[in-house]
PDB file of all heavy atoms in Angstrom:
ATOM      1  N   SER G1118      -3.024 -18.858   4.705  1.00 98.00           N
ATOM      2  CA  SER G1118      -2.227 -17.813   5.414  1.00 98.00           C
ATOM      3  C   SER G1118      -2.173 -16.524   4.563  1.00 98.00           C
ATOM      4  O   SER G1118      -2.423 -16.566   3.363  1.00 98.00           O
ATOM      5  CB  SER G1118      -0.884 -18.259   5.807  1.00 98.00           C
ATOM      6  OG  SER G1118      -0.025 -18.368   4.604  1.00 98.00           O
ATOM      7  N   GLY G1119      -1.837 -15.445   5.212  1.00 98.00           N
ATOM      8  CA  GLY G1119      -1.484 -14.234   4.465  1.00 98.00           C
ATOM      9  C   GLY G1119      -0.335 -14.462   3.504  1.00 98.00           C
ATOM     10  O   GLY G1119      -0.352 -13.959   2.372  1.00 98.00           O
ATOM     11  N   THR G1120       0.595 -15.172   4.034  1.00 98.00           N
ATOM     12  CA  THR G1120       1.807 -15.479   3.135  1.00 98.00           C
ATOM     13  C   THR G1120       1.353 -16.180   1.885  1.00 98.00           C
ATOM     14  O   THR G1120       1.866 -15.838   0.789  1.00 98.00           O
ATOM     15  CB  THR G1120       2.833 -16.274   3.919  1.00 98.00           C
ATOM     16  OG1 THR G1120       2.980 -15.717   5.173  1.00 98.00           O
ATOM     17  CG2 THR G1120       4.184 -16.404   3.242  1.00 98.00           C
ATOM     18  N   LEU G1123      -0.163 -13.808  -0.589  1.00 98.00           N
ATOM     19  CA  LEU G1123       0.787 -13.033  -1.225  1.00 98.00           C
ATOM     20  C   LEU G1123       1.544 -13.853  -2.307  1.00 98.00           C
ATOM     21  O   LEU G1123       1.853 -13.413  -3.390  1.00 98.00           O
ATOM     22  CB  LEU G1123       1.907 -12.458  -0.186  1.00 98.00           C
ATOM     23  CG  LEU G1123       1.239 -11.453   0.709  1.00 98.00           C
ATOM     24  CD1 LEU G1123       2.269 -11.300   1.925  1.00 98.00           C
ATOM     25  CD2 LEU G1123       1.102 -10.074   0.064  1.00 98.00           C
ATOM     26  N   THR G1144       9.124  -3.825   7.363  1.00 98.00           N
ATOM     27  CA  THR G1144       7.830  -4.577   7.559  1.00 98.00           C
ATOM     28  C   THR G1144       8.219  -5.960   8.131  1.00 98.00           C
ATOM     29  O   THR G1144       9.302  -6.327   8.350  1.00 98.00           O
ATOM     30  CB  THR G1144       7.055  -4.620   6.227  1.00 98.00           C
ATOM     31  OG1 THR G1144       5.690  -5.128   6.533  1.00 98.00           O
ATOM     32  CG2 THR G1144       7.750  -5.533   5.171  1.00 98.00           C
ATOM     33  N   PHE G1145       7.126  -6.787   8.222  1.00 98.00           N
ATOM     34  CA  PHE G1145       7.299  -8.230   8.620  1.00 98.00           C
ATOM     35  C   PHE G1145       7.833  -8.925   7.338  1.00 98.00           C
ATOM     36  O   PHE G1145       7.323  -8.728   6.204  1.00 98.00           O
ATOM     37  CB  PHE G1145       6.008  -8.722   9.104  1.00 98.00           C
ATOM     38  CG  PHE G1145       6.144 -10.142   9.632  1.00 98.00           C
ATOM     39  CD1 PHE G1145       7.153 -10.565  10.473  1.00 98.00           C
ATOM     40  CD2 PHE G1145       5.247 -11.127   9.202  1.00 98.00           C
ATOM     41  CE1 PHE G1145       7.311 -11.868  10.936  1.00 98.00           C
ATOM     42  CE2 PHE G1145       5.348 -12.461   9.625  1.00 98.00           C
ATOM     43  CZ  PHE G1145       6.401 -12.798  10.485  1.00 98.00           C
ATOM     44  N   ALA G1147       7.392 -11.750   6.097  1.00 98.00           N
ATOM     45  CA  ALA G1147       6.397 -12.508   5.282  1.00 98.00           C
ATOM     46  C   ALA G1147       5.966 -11.790   4.016  1.00 98.00           C
ATOM     47  O   ALA G1147       5.553 -12.447   3.082  1.00 98.00           O
ATOM     48  CB  ALA G1147       5.203 -12.897   6.112  1.00 98.00           C
ATOM     49  N   ALA G1148       6.071 -10.545   4.019  1.00 98.00           N
ATOM     50  CA  ALA G1148       5.685  -9.671   2.862  1.00 98.00           C
ATOM     51  C   ALA G1148       6.653  -9.902   1.748  1.00 98.00           C
ATOM     52  O   ALA G1148       6.376  -9.674   0.590  1.00 98.00           O
ATOM     53  CB  ALA G1148       5.584  -8.243   3.235  1.00 98.00           C
ATOM     54  N   VAL G1205       2.805  -2.550   1.707  1.00 98.00           N
ATOM     55  CA  VAL G1205       2.268  -3.025   2.974  1.00 98.00           C
ATOM     56  C   VAL G1205       1.675  -1.761   3.688  1.00 98.00           C
ATOM     57  O   VAL G1205       2.264  -0.755   3.832  1.00 98.00           O
ATOM     58  CB  VAL G1205       3.374  -3.653   3.903  1.00 98.00           C
ATOM     59  CG1 VAL G1205       2.788  -4.043   5.190  1.00 98.00           C
ATOM     60  CG2 VAL G1205       4.079  -4.784   3.144  1.00 98.00           C
ATOM     61  N   ASP G1231      -0.397  -5.685   0.568  1.00 98.00           N
ATOM     62  CA  ASP G1231      -0.282  -6.524   1.748  1.00 98.00           C
ATOM     63  C   ASP G1231      -1.134  -5.797   2.792  1.00 98.00           C
ATOM     64  O   ASP G1231      -0.626  -4.914   3.503  1.00 98.00           O
ATOM     65  CB  ASP G1231       1.147  -6.718   2.146  1.00 98.00           C
ATOM     66  CG  ASP G1231       1.248  -7.573   3.486  1.00 98.00           C
ATOM     67  OD1 ASP G1231       0.342  -7.598   4.235  1.00 98.00           O
ATOM     68  OD2 ASP G1231       2.344  -8.161   3.730  1.00 98.00           O
ATOM     69  N   THR G1233      -2.547  -7.344   5.292  1.00 98.00           N
ATOM     70  CA  THR G1233      -2.717  -8.364   6.434  1.00 98.00           C
ATOM     71  C   THR G1233      -2.798  -7.672   7.759  1.00 98.00           C
ATOM     72  O   THR G1233      -3.418  -8.246   8.634  1.00 98.00           O
ATOM     73  CB  THR G1233      -1.357  -9.213   6.451  1.00 98.00           C
ATOM     74  OG1 THR G1233      -0.202  -8.340   6.493  1.00 98.00           O
ATOM     75  CG2 THR G1233      -1.304 -10.162   5.289  1.00 98.00           C
ATOM     76  N   GLU G1234      -2.328  -6.382   7.833  1.00 98.00           N
ATOM     77  CA  GLU G1234      -2.480  -5.704   9.096  1.00 98.00           C
ATOM     78  C   GLU G1234      -3.593  -4.672   9.074  1.00 98.00           C
ATOM     79  O   GLU G1234      -3.803  -3.910  10.056  1.00 98.00           O
ATOM     80  CB  GLU G1234      -1.143  -4.946   9.439  1.00 98.00           C
ATOM     81  CG  GLU G1234       0.014  -5.931   9.496  1.00 98.00           C
ATOM     82  CD  GLU G1234       1.330  -5.311   9.894  1.00 98.00           C
ATOM     83  OE1 GLU G1234       1.414  -4.021   9.990  1.00 98.00           O
ATOM     84  OE2 GLU G1234       2.350  -6.073  10.147  1.00 98.00           O
ATOM     85  N   SER G1260      -4.652 -11.369   6.423  1.00 98.00           N
ATOM     86  CA  SER G1260      -4.213 -12.551   7.265  1.00 98.00           C
ATOM     87  C   SER G1260      -5.142 -12.633   8.417  1.00 98.00           C
ATOM     88  O   SER G1260      -5.675 -11.645   8.984  1.00 98.00           O
ATOM     89  CB  SER G1260      -2.829 -12.196   7.748  1.00 98.00           C
ATOM     90  OG  SER G1260      -2.514 -13.077   8.794  1.00 98.00           O
ATOM     91  N   TYR G1261      -5.412 -13.856   8.870  1.00 98.00           N
ATOM     92  CA  TYR G1261      -6.161 -14.119  10.082  1.00 98.00           C
ATOM     93  C   TYR G1261      -5.187 -14.820  11.052  1.00 98.00           C
ATOM     94  O   TYR G1261      -5.630 -15.647  11.826  1.00 98.00           O
ATOM     95  CB  TYR G1261      -7.295 -15.048   9.812  1.00 98.00           C
ATOM     96  CG  TYR G1261      -8.294 -14.498   8.758  1.00 98.00           C
ATOM     97  CD1 TYR G1261      -8.665 -15.324   7.746  1.00 98.00           C
ATOM     98  CD2 TYR G1261      -8.828 -13.273   8.916  1.00 98.00           C
ATOM     99  CE1 TYR G1261      -9.562 -14.826   6.753  1.00 98.00           C
ATOM    100  CE2 TYR G1261      -9.779 -12.785   7.981  1.00 98.00           C
ATOM    101  CZ  TYR G1261     -10.124 -13.606   6.970  1.00 98.00           C
ATOM    102  OH  TYR G1261     -11.106 -13.207   6.018  1.00 98.00           O
ATOM    103  N   ASN G1262      -3.908 -14.475  11.115  1.00 98.00           N
ATOM    104  CA  ASN G1262      -3.001 -15.018  12.122  1.00 98.00           C
ATOM    105  C   ASN G1262      -3.404 -14.490  13.495  1.00 98.00           C
ATOM    106  O   ASN G1262      -4.147 -13.638  13.644  1.00 98.00           O
ATOM    107  CB  ASN G1262      -1.553 -14.491  11.807  1.00 98.00           C
ATOM    108  CG  ASN G1262      -0.551 -15.432  12.431  1.00 98.00           C
ATOM    109  OD1 ASN G1262      -0.855 -16.248  13.356  1.00 98.00           O
ATOM    110  ND2 ASN G1262       0.686 -15.219  12.000  1.00 98.00           N
ATOM    111  N   LYS G1265      -3.618 -10.756  14.435  1.00 98.00           N
ATOM    112  CA  LYS G1265      -4.229  -9.783  13.575  1.00 98.00           C
ATOM    113  C   LYS G1265      -5.595  -9.424  14.173  1.00 98.00           C
ATOM    114  O   LYS G1265      -6.059  -9.874  15.178  1.00 98.00           O
ATOM    115  CB  LYS G1265      -4.390 -10.401  12.166  1.00 98.00           C
ATOM    116  CG  LYS G1265      -3.096 -10.792  11.457  1.00 98.00           C
ATOM    117  CD  LYS G1265      -2.146  -9.624  11.376  1.00 98.00           C
ATOM    118  CE  LYS G1265      -0.925  -9.743  10.449  1.00 98.00           C
ATOM    119  NZ  LYS G1265      -0.004 -10.848  10.664  1.00 98.00           N
ATOM    120  N   GLY G1272      -4.620 -18.342   8.857  1.00 98.00           N
ATOM    121  CA  GLY G1272      -5.398 -18.270   7.630  1.00 98.00           C
ATOM    122  C   GLY G1272      -5.300 -16.963   6.927  1.00 98.00           C
ATOM    123  O   GLY G1272      -4.600 -16.098   7.437  1.00 98.00           O
ATOM    124  N   TRP G1364      -4.924  -1.094  14.140  1.00 98.00           N
ATOM    125  CA  TRP G1364      -4.631  -2.405  14.657  1.00 98.00           C
ATOM    126  C   TRP G1364      -3.436  -2.360  15.599  1.00 98.00           C
ATOM    127  O   TRP G1364      -3.602  -2.894  16.685  1.00 98.00           O
ATOM    128  CB  TRP G1364      -4.130  -3.244  13.390  1.00 98.00           C
ATOM    129  CG  TRP G1364      -3.610  -4.685  13.823  1.00 98.00           C
ATOM    130  CD1 TRP G1364      -4.306  -5.586  14.396  1.00 98.00           C
ATOM    131  CD2 TRP G1364      -2.257  -5.121  13.590  1.00 98.00           C
ATOM    132  NE1 TRP G1364      -3.448  -6.666  14.680  1.00 98.00           N
ATOM    133  CE2 TRP G1364      -2.173  -6.340  14.168  1.00 98.00           C
ATOM    134  CE3 TRP G1364      -1.106  -4.574  12.957  1.00 98.00           C
ATOM    135  CZ2 TRP G1364      -1.090  -7.185  14.089  1.00 98.00           C
ATOM    136  CZ3 TRP G1364       0.017  -5.336  12.890  1.00 98.00           C
ATOM    137  CH2 TRP G1364       0.046  -6.642  13.479  1.00 98.00           C
TER     138      TRP G1364
HETATM  139  C1  LIG W 473       1.111 -11.137   9.452  1.00 87.91           C
HETATM  140  C2  LIG W 473       1.799 -10.573   8.275  1.00 87.91           C
HETATM  141  C3  LIG W 473       1.951 -11.402   7.054  1.00 87.91           C
HETATM  142  C4  LIG W 473       1.644 -12.873   6.994  1.00 87.91           C
HETATM  143  O1  LIG W 473       0.480 -13.294   7.327  1.00 87.91           O
HETATM  144  P1  LIG W 473       0.406 -14.838   7.801  1.00 87.91           P
HETATM  145  O2  LIG W 473      -1.066 -15.092   7.825  1.00 87.91           O
HETATM  146  O3  LIG W 473       1.020 -14.920   9.139  1.00 87.91           O
HETATM  147  O4  LIG W 473       1.095 -15.657   6.777  1.00 87.91           O
HETATM  148  C5  LIG W 473       2.376 -10.777   5.942  1.00 87.91           C
HETATM  149  N1  LIG W 473       2.725  -9.415   5.925  1.00 87.91           N
HETATM  150  C6  LIG W 473       2.689  -8.681   7.047  1.00 87.91           C
HETATM  151  C7  LIG W 473       3.069  -7.197   7.025  1.00 87.91           C
HETATM  152  C8  LIG W 473       2.153  -9.226   8.288  1.00 87.91           C
HETATM  153  O5  LIG W 473       2.070  -8.477   9.363  1.00 87.91           O
END
Side-chain angles (χ1 to χ4, degrees):
S1118 66
T1120 311
L1123 290 164
T1144 191
F1145 183 50
V1205 180
D1231 178 335
T1233 53
E1234 303 183 352
S1260 168
Y1261 303 126
N1262 200 348
K1265 300 302 196 300
W1364 175 63

